[in-house]
Amino acid sequence: MSNLSARLLKLALSTAVCMTPAAAALAQTAANPELERLLRADELVVAGNRILTEETLLEIYEGNGFSLFWENGQNVRELLELVEKAPEHGLDPSDYFVDQVREILNARNGQSSNLNSAESDILLTGSLLRYGYHRRLGKVNASKLDPDINFRREAFRDQPPHITLAQILEAPSMQGFIDMAAPSGPVYQRLQYWLQEYRQLAAAGGWPAVPEGPTLRKEDDDPRVLSIRVRLAESGELPATADHQSTAFDEQLVSAVKLFQQRHALDDDGIVGKQTIMAMNVPIGDRIDQLRTSLERLRWVNQEAADTLVAVNIASFRVFFFEDGELEWTTRAMVGKSYRQTPVFRGDIAYMEFNPTWTIPPGILRNDTLPAIKRDPNYLASKNIRVIDRNGKFVDPATVNWNQYSKGVPYTLRQDPGPNNALGTVKFIFPNPHFVFLHDTPSRELFDRPERAFSSGCIRVENPMKLAELLMGDPSEFPQKRFEEIVDSRQTQRVNLTEKIPVVILYLTAGLANDGNVMFLKDIYSRDDRVLNALNGPVYVDLPQADKS
């Protein structure tokens, strides 16, 4: 959230001791005994729907003297409009009792209803609570899905909740209040746009499958080329003005294939091989699910937004730097291998270490380094790795019988600074229990690969010196020349940041290309299904546990 949004939200929620006119009016309405009876029951069920926020609802209505909130029909109409538009956010209107809300609104217009006034009021409040919190925090509790995730999940606790509800109901626009409480940035909004586009495309029949077969290249003439033309026309890579009937693989089709490959994080060689055909034949419903899943993941980090921020998208193998709320810079990255996955979490970059040493972690030592030493007695010397005993003294590796060890060694193995150091020239430290950080790498040739899952869990940055400059802020105070002098010294040196800078590590398999078009990425860690299943599943808990304290 930007500073302006935070100030607006604070202003909107800052009347804890001074009731708004609507709140005062609500407090003066007569108590409804049926409200209290329902809310004090062991289990709150309305019209066959289990309302999961019993404690919060009891607190809300108790604060309002067990009076009704929803006596203004316009409020009900606005709530219905909100939940009917839930699909625009990849959410399901049925999670917010849309049919019952519609029934209540119809009853206000003279139609019959099976709900009494107390049941209607509770159901409407429960609907708004669910919708508001899902927009603000996501439907899925990320930390329960993945215990590594530590994103903030804070609800409104600046004032009694019945005052907040009264403010929402008296706001000029319920939609506007929700948008302010759960602000969505340009990436989120653009993914919403593509969700709508792909749903319309799906409703029109989607795209045809491209038959499998031999690799196709420029100047080939093959009946399958026709299918490729139709497929790329449907998703917009091949212009509407192009020839859609030719079986010839011409220059215009090469350009369209390259654009498709770029939008699917493939090697953009303009050749239609196995990987490209597989990407073309992913059903449109799966692409819609990727968009919905990414929107949900963006809601998880709603409260992590900051004017200055480093973000890493594992699935796109990229690092992003935001300043004043705008994307200032991006570069390629490498992330963890499938069996050493980079976790999703947040931290604060506190300092940089230039010319770092690298202490080999136990897992890498056991699985990689020790077998390499056994194969090549000169391995440690070639990598400038020192052997240190438990007393901190250096040990000659030739005096150690490495073959007697299999699971670990009673030594610390540390690589000296230098051009072959695994961490390169600099590392960016944000203390965390995963021992994950951003760093340089000597293996720069790997940045040219379209898929870059090569690390042991940390994030390797293609242009780390530029990132260092951005993190330090004013270049006049710490110019690039100063960085170069530190690196040239070959001496390990720590540089503290003036202020800690947040870093958020994400996993979005639907993102944006440079031209604003949607970009679909490979689910390299097979994480999407768990999120999607939870997103499509029932609502288990409405509010963060911390907010009930």
Side-chain angles (χ1 to χ4, degrees), residues 199-362:
R199 277 180 165 154
Q200 291 175 355
L201 183 55
W207 47 62
V210 175
E212 296 181 1
T215 297
L216 294 170
R217 297 176 173 83
K218 183 182 176 182
E219 298 183 359
D220 284 348
D221 196 304
D222 189 291
R224 293 164 57 229
V225 170
L226 184 59
S227 299
I228 295 171
R229 288 183 178 276
V230 175
R231 168 64 181 85
L232 298 183
E234 289 293 341
S235 54
E237 288 82 18
L238 189 67
T241 56
D243 185 350
H244 295 175
Q245 303 301 320
S246 174
T247 59
F249 202 127
D250 58 16
E251 185 62 43
Q252 190 173 43
L253 186 58
V254 170
S255 298
V257 170
K258 287 184 177 181
L259 185 56
F260 175 88
Q261 290 168 331
Q262 292 165 8
R263 291 174 177 174
H264 292 78
L266 300 170
D267 195 3
D268 57 342
D269 54 12
I271 298 172
V272 181
K274 182 178 179 180
Q275 294 295 321
T276 300
I277 290 176
M278 286 178 61
M280 288 180 177
N281 286 340
V282 171
I284 192 168
D286 290 0
R287 296 306 190 194
I288 290 171
D289 286 340
Q290 280 184 262
L291 287 161
R292 292 181 60 224
T293 301
S294 288
L295 287 170
E296 175 69 5
R297 285 176 166 136
L298 286 172
R299 288 188 287 269
W300 294 351
V301 295
N302 210 0
Q303 295 174 45
E304 299 298 343
D307 288 342
T308 301
L309 172 74
V310 175
V312 178
N313 184 10
I314 296 169
S316 69
F317 312 105
R318 295 199 75 86
V319 175
F320 305 86
F321 183 83
F322 293 86
E323 190 169 35
D324 296 328
E326 300 292 332
L327 178 61
E328 178 73 16
W329 174 80
T330 181
T331 192
R332 294 182 293 189
M334 300 181 210
V335 300
K337 302 170 185 176
S338 60
Y339 57 92
R340 290 177 182 164
Q341 298 181 8
T342 300
V344 171
F345 70 105
R346 59 98 50 215
D348 294 291
I349 299 177
Y351 65 92
M352 302 176 286
E353 189 173 280
F354 291 87
N355 298 319
T357 60
W358 179 49
T359 300
I360 301 176

Side-chain angles (χ1 to χ4, degrees), residues 23-34:
L26 285 168
Q28 294 173 5
T29 58
N32 187 309
E34 178 67 3

Side-chain angles (χ1 to χ4, degrees), residues 141-187:
N141 188 331
S143 61
K144 291 191 175 180
L145 199 68
D146 180 351
D148 289 335
I149 295 175
N150 61 344
F151 302 139
R152 295 183 181 92
R153 283 176 59 84
E154 299 172 357
F156 302 134
R157 305 303 286 178
D158 288 357
Q159 61 184 0
H162 71 283
I163 301 296
T164 301
L165 179 56
Q167 289 173 338
I168 296 173
L169 295 178
E170 77 160 333
S173 166
M174 189 179 295
Q175 174 76 60
F177 193 100
I178 295 295
D179 288 344
M180 181 177 61
S184 55
V187 175

Side-chain angles (χ1 to χ4, degrees), residues 74-94:
Q74 177 60 26
N75 288 332
V76 182
R77 186 173 296 104
E78 287 191 60
L79 176 62
L80 180 61
E81 291 173 358
L82 272 182
V83 298
E84 284 182 334
K85 292 179 180 178
E88 295 179 4
H89 298 272
L91 298 169
D92 184 352
S94 66

